[in-house]
Amino acid sequence: MPLPTQVSVKGIEIHAVPLPPMAPPATGAQGPTPHHGSTRLKPLKSPIQEGKLSVIERSKQLAAWTAVDEHVLPEYRVIGIGSGSTVPYVVERIVSQGAEANKDRVFIPTGFQSKELIVSSGLSLGDVDQYPTIDVTLDGADEVDTQLNCIKGGGACHLREKVLAEAATTFILVADYRKNVEYLGTNFKAGVPIEVVPFAYAKVLQNLHQVLNSPKATLRMAVAKAGPVVSDNGNFIIDAPFDVERMKEPYKIMAQIKMLTGVVEVGLFCHMARAAYFGNQDGSVTAKWNDGKIQEIPATNS
């Protein structure tokens, strides 16, 4: 039985949009593809190894594929690639568009992970210094609320992620169903990531404890090394939890933290994303837009 094209649930208009089939693998997998006579295209390689994915990994993949299909348009030439566990699937889908589609594109990374994904896949690497205006940036998130505000920085890349988000004409979030929440801080309990200069971390911690009422704010410590986590920019990371009532106004918290001397950037992204894509357990994808529209994209066998 075909899915309805439009239904109403609790006053929300929901459209069923078919998920586009996955494009054929990049021709570069079999060697460079000839183009205009003697010119050869750069071979591309997907960063995802073949094999069965878990439910969560498949949901991330579905969200990434859908976001790329809808927002990485043929005419786009400068594309920002974010950080996190969903981003390899973004690169996978871009690679699947083929060497011809990607031959004139340049990809801007937010950190070491995304840089390695771009280089290892055979895509052209660029820098925001060269390309301060980006057509579209796709990035993951630790949590996204109903207004598309999000927490980012679980991987300590939120300074560079925010630079690329602001530089982009279109900023798109991709995540799995666990990140889709009503209020920030629902599932992501670590707190708001804050990048600080090492010289000022103790002073900023004191401000968070005594002035901004985050008594459990702590310096993030490394797991496989002695000492604190150090960002790609040579700074420290503080994680500052706030109660649910405070997290209902993330922009206010972000502004208060940003005003503390020594703070470089805050992992709250407010009023920035155009849309967020969430892969669901049943193979469907939920797309939320900044104008309040919600799309339910049904599962397919592709």
Side-chain angles (χ1 to χ4, degrees):
M1 179 180 176
L3 288 168
T5 59
Q6 180 174 325
V7 296
S8 180
V9 180
K10 295 183 179 180
I12 299 176
E13 184 180 291
I14 301 178
H15 302 272
V17 181
L19 182 64
M22 187 174 182
T27 54
Q30 301 298 324
T33 302
H35 176 69
H36 298 310
S38 61
T39 303
R40 292 180 177 273
L41 299 180
K42 180 188 297 185
L44 304 181
K45 179 182 178 183
S46 171
I48 303 300
Q49 300 296 319
E50 292 186 8
K52 187 175 181 180
L53 299 176
S54 67
V55 171
I56 289 176
E57 290 304 309
R58 177 59 175 161
S59 69
K60 294 176 183 178
Q61 185 183 57
L62 291 168
W65 284 6
T66 309
V68 169
D69 289 347
E70 295 196 356
H71 296 284
V72 181
L73 305 181
E75 62 269 26
Y76 285 174
R77 292 293 175 261
V78 184
I79 299 167
I81 301 295
S83 310
S85 61
T86 312
V87 173
Y89 301 113
V90 169
V91 176
E92 175 193 33
R93 192 64 164 180
I94 289 171
V95 167
S96 78
Q97 293 181 344
E100 177 67 29
N102 286 294
K103 69 182 178 66
D104 295 324
R105 287 174 173 167
V106 63
F107 296 84
I108 315 299
T110 58
F112 181 82
Q113 178 209 17
S114 48
K115 178 182 177 180
E116 290 299 298
L117 283 170
I118 292 167
V119 172
S120 65
S121 298
L123 300 170
S124 296
L125 181 68
D127 190 275
V128 72
D129 290 342
Q130 300 168 285
Y131 303 95
T133 300
I134 299 172
D135 292 314
V136 61
T137 292
L138 299 100
D139 206 346
D142 296 304
E143 213 164 45
V144 186
D145 71 12
T146 54
Q147 304 301 311
L148 302 192
N149 302 309
C150 67
I151 295 177
K152 293 178 57 56
C157 296
H158 52 286
L159 169 59
R160 297 190 182 197
E161 289 170 339
K162 190 170 281 191
V163 170
L164 264 63
E166 288 186 353
T169 302
T170 302
F171 178 48
I172 301 297
L173 297 168
V174 289
D176 63 77
Y177 57 91
R178 301 171 301 171
K179 315 298 178 64
N180 184 8
V181 298
E182 185 174 2
Y183 300 114
L184 298 180
T186 300
N187 297 324
F188 188 75
K189 301 296 186 181
V192 177
I194 306 166
E195 184 161 346
V196 300
V197 294
F199 170 77
Y201 88 89
K203 175 263 183 191
V204 172
L205 271 175
Q206 184 180 65
N207 291 154
L208 289 165
H209 294 160
Q210 300 180 3
V211 179
L212 296 187
N213 196 26
S214 179
K216 295 184 179 180
T218 56
L219 183 66
R220 188 184 299 180
M221 304 303 290
V223 175
K225 68 175 281 290
V229 169
V230 178
S231 75
D232 287 352
N233 314 296
N235 296 317
F236 290 170
I237 306 295
I238 289 174
D239 293 304
F242 293 90
D243 60 44
V244 174
E245 287 303 312
R246 296 285 301 282
M247 292 302 287
K248 289 181 180 180
E249 297 182 284
Y251 187 86
K252 182 177 179 180
I253 295 174
M254 180 191 71
Q256 290 174 333
I257 298 173
K258 194 71 181 284
M259 289 298 293
L260 299 176
T261 302
V263 170
V264 179
E265 193 49 77
V266 184
L268 288 170
F269 288 48
C270 301
H271 314 151
M272 299 182 73
R274 180 174 296 181
Y277 290 79
F278 303 97
N280 299 315
Q281 291 172 289
D282 63 358
S284 65
V285 174
T286 299
K288 293 186 174 182
W289 296 76
N290 60 356
D291 61 0
K293 182 176 68 173
I294 299 176
Q295 293 175 289
E296 293 295 343
I297 303 169
T300 71
N301 294 323
S302 63

